[in-house]
Amino acid sequence: MGLIASLLRTFLGRSGGGMLARLLGGPMLGVILGMLTKQGGLTGLLEKFRGAGLGHKADSWVGTGPNQPLNPDEVERALGPDELQQIADKTGMTVEQVREKLAEGLPEIINHVTPDGAVPDDNALGGMLAKLGRFLPN
């Protein structure tokens, strides 16, 4: 099974609208894409977490073993309150909702776009996420 098919099955094949829709919702996918661009791709985003002392967690999401969970305070520590406020403003969510959704969603998203334990190049990643976005409700 191809990577895109696997991602679609994982994210969209669950009851209740699929994991990606449930965790991130339509507006958050655009935010994730924008965040990846702003942070320098997936590598840059992972570096933000490493720089905040969360490298062991970030590495677990990329690696092939179990994912270490992320909590909302750690999201804020890595991304900063200004970034979270910008995301909240763009999505119409509260900062707390953004923190919670990113804490729940980022480890899963990163895990699923790095199935072999390697970070895909930015073009491949952008293509994967853009294809997933077409299947989300507006």
Side-chain angles (χ1 to χ4, degrees):
M1 177 183 304
L3 180 58
I4 294 297
S6 174
L7 287 169
L8 288 172
R9 184 176 54 82
T10 300
F11 290 146
L12 304 171
R14 308 252 194 254
S15 62
M19 182 172 60
L20 185 60
R22 180 179 55 80
L23 293 177
L24 300 178
M28 284 299 289
L29 183 62
V31 167
I32 296 290
L33 291 170
M35 204 166 47
L36 289 170
T37 300
K38 184 177 180 179
Q39 304 299 336
L42 182 55
T43 300
L45 182 61
L46 291 168
E47 285 304 316
K48 291 282 265 189
F49 283 91
R50 290 182 182 115
L54 300 166
H56 60 291
K57 290 190 177 202
D59 292 341
S60 77
W61 311 330
V62 174
T64 57
N67 291 334
Q68 292 188 17
L70 185 63
N71 70 52
D73 290 336
E74 293 168 329
V75 170
E76 186 164 351
R77 187 169 71 192
L79 299 179
D82 292 341
E83 179 78 16
L84 294 177
Q85 185 62 57
Q86 289 174 15
I87 294 169
D89 292 344
K90 288 178 184 174
T91 61
M93 291 188 236
T94 67
V95 169
E96 188 56 35
Q97 288 171 318
V98 169
R99 288 169 22 118
E100 290 171 5
K101 286 198 175 274
L102 290 177
E104 187 179 3
L106 278 176
E108 292 299 320
I109 298 293
I110 293 169
N111 179 62
H112 287 287
V113 298
T114 58
D116 300 320
V119 175
D121 69 54
D122 292 341
N123 290 332
L125 178 63
M128 283 188 278
L129 292 175
K131 286 179 184 179
L132 288 173
R134 291 194 318 236
F135 294 93
L136 291 175
N138 292 326

